[in-house]
Amino acid sequence: MTSRLLPGLLLTISPLGLLAASPASAAQPGTAAQQPPAPTTASAAPEDQSATSPESTIVVTGTRRTDRTIADSPVPIDVIGSEALASSGLGETNKILNNLVPSFNFPQPSIADGTDVIRPASLRGLAPDQTLVLVNGKRRHVSSLLNINGTVGRGSTAVDLNNIPGLAIDRIEVLRDGASSQYGSDAIAGVINVRLRKSPRGGKAQVSYGKYITQLEDVPQLLSLQDVGGTAVVSTTDSRVLVGNYGSDRKVRDGALLTLGANIGVPLAGGYLNVTGEFRDRDATNRAGFDVRPNYIRPTAAVDPRELSFNRLNFRLGDPKTRDVNLIANAAVPIGADGFEVYSFATFADRKGRSAANYRQQSSVNNRDFSTITPSTTPSNANFTALTPDGFLPEIASRYKDWAAALGVRGALAGWNVDLSGVYGHNQIDYRTENSLNTSYGTTSIRNFDSGGLRFNQFTANLDVSREFNAGFSKPLSVAFGAEYRRDNFKERPGQRESYAAGPLFIAPVATTAANCTTLGGVYATATGICSFPGRAAPFGAQGFPGIPDYARLSKSRSSKAAYVELDTDPLPGLTTTIAGRVEDYSDFGSTANGKVALRYEFIPAIAIRGSVSTGFRAPSLQQQYYTGFSTNFINGLPVDIVTFPVSSAVSSALGAKPLKPEKSTNVSAGLTLNPLRGLTVTADYFHIKLKDRIVLTENLGAFGSGTSAQNTAVQAILTANNLSGFGAARFFINGLDTTTSGLDAVGTYRWKWDGLGSWSLSAAYNRTKNRIDRRLNALGPLAQIPGLVLFGRVEGIRFEQGQPRDKVVLSADGNVGKFGVTARTTRFGRVISPGAAAPLINTTSVTDYGPDDLVLQPKWISDLELRYSVGPVQLAAGANNLFDVYPTRRPFGPRPTTVGGSYPIDAYYIPYSGFSPFGFNGRFLYGRVSIDF
């Protein structure tokens, strides 16, 4: 496992540390050290413990003891068994966890560039990169993708759990408590430990197939446009759209998902080799509404006759098309005669994805041929010439590869358990932008672009040492210590020049003389001395996904060294204590020390209280420090080209950026555990997490919706001064917030077995989480003279505080009666606010008031059902996810109420659902599965 070292002061003052400091003290008569446990090879306990009780399920997350169970853990832990992971047709580990773990959130955004294919998840309402993911207790590398668009997890990197299929997993342990001092400085929200299968014999093969059979909610089918004399009619209530004839809500059959998988275990020289392979082929889904905007240019008020025959379902909103190949291997072999073993595990993932950007209309500036007008001519409808006859839908084709390999040796040495390991992980993403064009090249533009790629590599070496001593306590004293070395590397690979460059139809404004401006063919402004070229203002970069520019090429590395110590015992009957600490030194941020104390006291049998206090530290990722990239965001339905700069760039410095500092956290939790009846366990835990200097991505500075006209003008002036006048906005990372996250987790589980009625497990879980911004650290620097400018403003603030469900309830029942099995589950996702760009109507500069386009996503219940029948080794299953075909609240469209005035964003017509929906917006999924054990 990853490691931490207890600061010397903590070791000195701790009575447990005094007793443990000298191994000789444990060797006194009557206090002989206990023998270490045998290595976990083929003789290990049965893998599937999903049906066992919390009193007997051993956990390895949250402690380095070998006998700690869920029931006597001083910190809250969820254990998801392999059967629970298999009882779903969703095919993605993140989606399954979203329906099982109440504090886990996995929205499924669309039209969000790379985030469509690699979607981030969060724990306890914190950022995806504030949860540490382990595989077999070893740190898992994050994705190279930085989520920079308007989604939950904006500005963070995340581990892609979908690389590890459920068939390869023995179980998942979710530690819902700060654990920076035990596992990693970034384990602020908690730890997710994926334990791979290690069976030395037998296996399972399965095939599943399903698709969405659904009817969209509040999205009626467009039958035709209203036709008067061979011409479409403009709406009298909303002049932005054409009048349509509609039927009932649109019915859809799409998103077919085929999954083929097999797991097999074989003995290997007295140990085991367990291998899993999975192939997953998913078709795209589309939940877009109909785009009833006039598509063709209108030189006059007349509507183009082609509008009547144009395909109005021109957007794609939903899951991208993906094809995945995943391979997992897990092995261990005894060596020598001293109980040592060599172990290894490896993962490989290859994913091809294809998602869509926003549709570019025929009349769009992105589709204009600027070569037909002179540099000094102002573009108008009258002089418009289209590059493509009907517009185009850019597609983003991604090739994603991920692999990791671990090699280690563990065993008993001089009475100590010793584990020495090394893990290397690599993630890469390459992009192609297809069916697109670079408008600034006009008719000579190519249509398909290599848009560049990202790389992230991580090497981690660990030494973990542990031993138990009979120190006169109620239970032996477990002493663990170790060290860790880690090296990270992040790279950006530029795309081909045409994917990002400005072609001949874009000329930036220049400061010059009137005579020279005339020579250049521009328009001279005497008041400013600026020569502009309105007829050479073509957007540049590949439409939909601009390429990574050559000046963004980089390879940046850093290293860290850490050491930890952990002490765990029951000093008195019923009193459990864990004390841990860690020191860590980063090559770019210096040193930090973190500690943790966790207690559990069972004051009467079956009733206990527990709590913990811990500190944490998270250094900014290499991606947050160095990433440079372009993207096109649609704000209120209008395209805005945005550039993300590293904090060290001249533009970021001019906008007030400063070198990033690490985040620091304090985590306090307190809870109660009850075991009043055999098989019944109830836990309730309160948590309170304070974060200082939280790293966030700024607003899209300079874009409509991020500030006043004067503020945006000032930002645009800085972009122009840095030869970036073609971009509509800029953003960068800042230590922008001090925050508090607090909430409650409650879980109840009851397991029983009745003769004739089979075995059953009932569970109820509840989570309530509140994120609060305590302080905005608005260090404006050079922009301080602009009144009211906020780097992290209203939209991002609402996304942070209310962009995830305030509460979540999971009720489930799982049973087996003879050859029949059933799993029934219903999950209530609480209220979410999806912020719009428009400012509040009254207090227009408020960073907390709601605006007229902010959408309340109402609470929804999502129900799943699976039925199973087993005949010998063969099992047949059929089920439904989102059985009752529930959709999130539909975005309002058209004119706003007269008391508000104006109109809702135009994109609400054709993008009916918000990407903030915590359960997505795909509707009912029906599936069947056949599996065979051998």
Side-chain angles (χ1 to χ4, degrees), residues 25 59 116 142 162 205 228 310 525 547 571 591 634 645 682 702 723 728 785 838-839 853 859 882 892 925:
S25 67
V59 293
D116 287 8
V142 299
N162 288 335
V228 176
F310 177 69
S591 300
F634 274 66
F645 289 106
V682 179
N723 297 317
Q785 72 275 15
D853 299 333
N882 195 353
F925 183 79

Side-chain angles (χ1 to χ4, degrees), residues 598-645:
L599 302 172
R600 180 184 182 274
Y601 180 51
E602 190 170 355
F603 52 92
I604 60 174
I607 301 179
I609 56 175
R610 64 186 180 188
S612 69
V613 178
S614 63
T615 60
F617 168 99
R618 195 191 75 83
S621 68
L622 292 175
Q623 291 93 318
Q624 289 173 326
Q625 294 183 75
Y626 298 112
Y627 175 80
T628 299
F630 304 151
S631 64
T632 302
N633 286 16
F634 274 66
I635 301 175
N636 279 355
L638 301 175
V640 178
D641 292 324
I642 302 170
V643 59
T644 304
F645 289 106

Side-chain angles (χ1 to χ4, degrees), residues 198-504:
K198 54 188 177 184
S199 174
R201 58 185 60 85
K204 173 182 283 190
Q206 69 180 30
V207 56
S208 66
Y209 178 80
K211 69 187 309 181
Y212 289 95
I213 300 178
T214 181
Q215 184 170 9
L216 279 65
E217 187 173 335
D218 297 327
V219 182
Q221 178 72 36
L222 177 65
L223 303 177
S224 64
L225 292 182
Q226 191 174 111
D227 182 353
V228 176
T231 303
V233 178
V234 176
S235 172
T236 57
T237 58
D238 188 349
S239 61
R240 301 172 299 170
V241 300
L242 305 173
V243 179
N245 300 310
Y246 295 91
S248 59
D249 284 343
R250 187 162 77 91
K251 296 180 179 180
V252 178
R253 308 289 186 268
D254 64 7
L257 173 62
L258 172 67
T259 304
L260 306 173
N263 170 268
I264 185 169
V266 295
L268 182 66
Y272 63 87
L273 171 63
N274 193 276
V275 179
T276 303
E278 182 187 69
F279 171 77
R280 188 167 63 234
D281 188 6
R282 182 184 69 188
D283 286 340
T285 62
N286 190 5
R287 302 297 174 266
F290 294 91
D291 184 2
V292 289
R293 298 173 298 168
N295 181 64
Y296 299 96
I297 197 71
R298 296 170 63 189
T300 66
V303 177
D304 194 301
R306 291 175 293 176
E307 300 288 0
L308 292 173
S309 58
F310 177 69
N311 178 15
R312 298 290 158 181
L313 197 59
N314 51 6
F315 275 77
R316 277 214 312 268
L317 178 72
D319 287 343
K321 178 176 178 57
T322 58
R323 178 170 291 182
D324 290 75
V325 175
N326 296 304
L327 300 173
I328 315 288
N330 191 25
V333 176
I335 57 172
D338 298 324
F340 271 85
E341 70 176 8
V342 173
Y343 64 91
S344 179
F345 58 89
T347 66
F348 173 79
D350 185 295
R351 179 181 305 155
K352 296 178 181 178
R354 182 172 291 272
S355 57
N358 285 275
Y359 189 83
R360 269 57 176 177
Q361 291 186 294
Q362 187 266 2
S363 58
S364 168
V365 65
N366 309 103
N367 193 46
R368 174 186 281 270
D369 183 359
F370 280 80
S371 68
T372 61
I373 57 177
T374 67
S376 62
T377 301
T378 300
S380 67
N381 287 0
N383 59 32
F384 182 92
T385 301
L387 286 170
T388 65
D390 299 304
F392 57 98
L393 179 66
E395 294 185 332
I396 304 167
S398 57
R399 184 67 183 271
Y400 170 98
K401 291 185 178 181
D402 185 285
W403 62 81
L407 179 65
V409 58
R410 59 192 171 205
L413 181 64
W416 293 84
N417 297 321
V418 180
D419 185 341
L420 177 64
S421 66
V423 183
Y424 177 80
H426 172 86
N427 179 273
Q428 69 178 59
I429 312 164
D430 290 292
Y431 295 105
R432 285 185 60 81
T433 307
E434 301 182 348
N435 191 40
S436 182
L437 52 81
N438 185 330
T439 312
S440 65
Y441 281 87
T443 56
T444 65
S445 173
I446 60 176
R447 300 301 302 272
N448 300 320
F449 304 82
D450 172 10
S451 295
L454 307 172
R455 308 284 188 271
F456 183 77
N457 305 287
Q458 183 176 86
F459 172 73
T460 306
N462 286 100
L463 174 64
D464 298 293
V465 181
S466 64
R467 184 174 181 177
E468 291 187 354
F469 295 89
N470 287 324
F473 297 140
S474 177
K475 284 188 177 182
L477 170 66
S478 171
V479 178
F481 62 90
E484 176 184 282
Y485 171 80
R486 188 168 81 248
R487 183 172 178 81
D488 299 338
N489 174 261
F490 172 63
K491 298 179 180 179
E492 284 195 72
R493 179 183 70 82
Q496 67 186 101
R497 178 173 175 77
E498 294 86 349
S499 71
Y500 63 84

